[in-house]
Amino acid sequence: MKIFEVAGPAGINMEFSYTDDIAANNDVMQARDTLENGTGPGSEMRGWLSLPDDITESLFNEIEEAAQAIRQAQALVVVGIGGSYLGARAVIDALRPPFARDDEFPIFFAGHHLDADYHVGLLDHLGDKRYAVNVISKSGTTTEPGLAFRVLLNDLTQRYEPGDLKQLVFATTDGNKGTLLSLSRKLGLTTFVVPDDVGGRFSVLSPVGLLPIAAAGFNVREIVAGAAAMAQGIRRKGSGISDNPALAYAAYRLSCYRADRKIEVLAGYSPRLSSIAAWWKQLFGESEGKDGKGIFPASVDLTSDLHSMGQWLQDGERTVFETIVDVVHSSEMTIPAPAHGDDGLTYLNGAQLHQVNRTVLQAAQEAHIAGNVPCLRLEIPKIDERTVGALLYLFEYACGVSAYALGVNPFDQPGVEAYKANMKRML
Ligand code: PA5
């Protein structure tokens, strides 16, 4: 075992112990070539690779203009499921301060499940607010967002003139076909295109993710710039396992999988990372879990889950490996002296709360390694537009490489299609 330290673009670094697994390393290098050269199954869906460089100034302007129009309303409801909403939610939840201030533009999500209580509650909550809707569906025929959109569009139609609807409803869908596109054209809505060669779970850096993120008030140019910096670093020819974090991560995963570690747990030490973990689970789960293969992606929110799942990680079945996201800088908070005498924690007086959090991370990592859980620590300098953009791209690239190294097509989802077909028949 030796300690690998891999420095990456945008200050994103990795550290993990690794037995140089030559077979895994070779398979990952070959998988990288398969991805880059377009020689694998699903190669026509690799448009996401160049999304950060492909976005034109005019597309940025259109997104920002639409976002401004949306912000004239009193709230936005983003309607979509899976890859059509998880990326936007991941970025917005990461970048928004934990307690939304009164001046923050409210963003709600709908159509990501069929729970009646939730959707009745949402309509109630929106009340007579003048809200905007961004409906996102590549196929334009998905049941969950389709029904939620119908309900919201009916509500707005009852309350506003057709001219107003054009100011309030924005659609992101296929550029050439689909029910949603036809309806949008009929109503004269502003529409954004999901590129043909980009699948849902790889679409966060297209208008699918960028419009809601811009409407939430974030700088989408910075997010894309972070992703572009990461792309430039990890796609460079001649880089390998020792100096490319995406390839190192893919090799580590493959090596763990082949050693019967079939569950990967993404561990974040900030609630701001929870939705990134949800997005990451979809990305890896839907891309790799097929043909009887695939690492099961799970996640924990620490330190909270140290008091629940921590037991399992430390001591449960040894089928798991851990990927820890370590944020170097967070808000300053000096722990004050106790106002009422010794509370048993006086040794922490004057310490920075974030440093205590990082020390617990280190302590848990050491304990888990001692408990025979392979751990990779992914260090990001702080949570901001650039680092989040870079992190998402790093995971996407590692996912494409990992899936090819496993021998599956990263870009299809036959299992999801099977449930969709059953559901349509039964309904
Ligand atoms: O990543 C994927 O391809 C899926 O999760 C889709 O995004 C999801 O099924 C929603 O599909 P659509 O955008 O066609 O409504």
Side-chain angles (χ1 to χ4, degrees):
M1 279 283 183
K2 60 180 179 184
I3 302 292
F4 261 63
E5 283 176 23
V6 186
I12 297 184
N13 305 319
M14 269 177 192
E15 185 195 73
F16 55 105
S17 52
Y18 189 60
T19 314
D20 234 342
D21 181 339
I22 306 293
N25 293 355
N26 288 342
D27 290 347
V28 160
M29 293 307 288
Q30 218 176 327
R32 190 264 292 266
D33 290 346
T34 305
L35 178 67
E36 285 291 349
N37 300 334
T39 49
S43 60
E44 67 286 358
M45 297 305 287
R46 293 172 311 125
W48 57 273
L49 275 170
S50 57
L51 272 181
D53 292 324
D54 290 347
I55 302 181
T56 58
E57 184 59 24
S58 78
L59 182 54
F60 271 131
N61 289 336
E62 279 174 49
I63 288 172
E64 285 162 349
E65 269 169 38
Q68 274 316 317
I70 288 171
R71 287 172 73 85
Q72 302 307 308
Q74 290 172 283
L76 168 66
V77 185
V78 179
V79 178
I81 194 165
S84 287
Y85 96 103
L86 280 164
R89 183 167 213 167
V91 175
I92 293 168
D93 286 354
L95 296 180
R96 277 221 156 146
F99 297 93
R101 295 189 306 268
D102 290 347
D103 58 353
E104 256 153 25
F105 182 65
I107 308 258
F108 304 104
F109 294 88
H112 52 304
H113 53 68
L114 290 165
D115 185 62
D117 285 345
Y118 179 94
H119 289 94
V120 168
L122 176 65
L123 272 186
D124 258 12
H125 185 71
L126 291 168
D128 56 7
K129 278 196 185 75
R130 185 181 161 93
Y131 62 88
V133 172
N134 180 199
V135 54
I136 308 166
S137 177
K138 184 170 184 180
S139 61
T141 57
T142 308
T143 308
E144 294 91 333
L147 291 179
F149 182 51
R150 186 192 294 181
V151 167
L152 293 164
L153 186 61
N154 280 5
D155 179 50
L156 291 174
T157 303
Q158 277 163 18
R159 296 199 282 134
Y160 297 104
E161 299 298 319
D164 284 323
L165 286 185
K166 290 185 200 170
Q167 313 295 315
L168 293 175
V169 185
F170 298 78
T172 308
T173 189
D174 190 283
N176 302 304
K177 58 181 185 308
T179 320
L180 180 56
L181 182 68
S182 316
L183 179 62
S184 307
R185 284 187 175 149
K186 189 168 144 194
L187 298 176
L189 306 180
T190 303
T191 57
F192 287 89
V193 173
V194 190
D196 273 347
D197 52 3
V198 178
R201 57 193 174 274
F202 289 87
S203 66
V204 57
L205 298 167
S206 78
V208 171
L210 296 181
L211 178 56
I213 294 168
F218 297 110
N219 185 336
V220 288
R221 292 172 193 256
E222 281 292 295
I223 292 167
V224 171
M230 181 56 74
Q232 206 184 13
I234 61 181
R235 296 189 72 193
R236 75 189 187 284
K237 289 202 174 74
S239 65
I241 309 291
S242 60
D243 60 356
N244 183 324
L247 301 180
Y249 179 46
Y252 158 83
R253 296 180 82 251
L254 185 61
S255 179
C256 287
Y257 181 70
R258 288 179 177 166
D260 268 342
R261 302 292 175 149
K262 304 281 164 95
I263 303 166
E264 178 178 12
V265 178
L266 190 74
Y269 279 75
S270 164
R272 298 174 70 178
L273 298 172
S274 299
S275 296
I276 290 191
W279 171 86
W280 170 92
K281 284 191 276 195
Q282 188 214 355
L283 179 70
F284 280 92
E286 208 171 5
S287 301
E288 283 189 334
K290 51 196 75 155
D291 304 339
K293 301 180 199 167
I295 295 167
F296 184 85
S299 66
V300 286
D301 289 316
L302 305 181
T303 62
S304 315
D305 291 338
L306 282 181
H307 299 261
S308 53
M309 298 304 290
Q311 171 60 37
W312 200 100
L313 287 172
Q314 186 68 40
D315 218 12
E317 198 179 40
R318 302 296 71 183
T319 47
V320 68
F321 65 100
E322 192 176 349
T323 299
I324 302 160
V325 183
D326 179 12
V327 182
V328 178
H329 298 286
S330 180
S331 300
E332 298 253 319
M333 181 188 240
T334 307
I335 298 174
H340 301 284
D342 188 7
D343 60 1
L345 296 168
T346 46
Y347 60 95
L348 294 174
N349 294 1
Q352 281 297 316
L353 183 60
H354 185 57
Q355 286 319 317
V356 174
N357 197 22
R358 292 192 76 212
T359 306
V360 176
L361 179 155
Q362 213 185 330
Q365 180 182 347
E366 275 181 33
H368 294 169
I369 291 171
N372 190 21
V373 176
C375 288
L376 177 147
R377 191 175 58 86
L378 179 66
E379 188 182 273
I380 67 173
K382 58 185 169 178
I383 299 177
D384 67 7
E385 277 104 331
R386 248 176 208 259
T387 54
V388 167
L391 184 66
L392 297 184
Y393 192 91
L394 168 66
F395 280 140
E396 287 181 347
Y397 194 85
C399 179
V401 172
S402 285
Y404 277 140
L406 268 186
V408 300
N409 176 354
F411 308 119
D412 65 358
Q413 49 282 326
V416 178
E417 305 306 340
Y419 116 79
K420 282 187 183 174
N422 273 356
M423 179 178 67
K424 286 233 148 93
R425 178 173 48 78
M426 288 169 155
L427 286 174

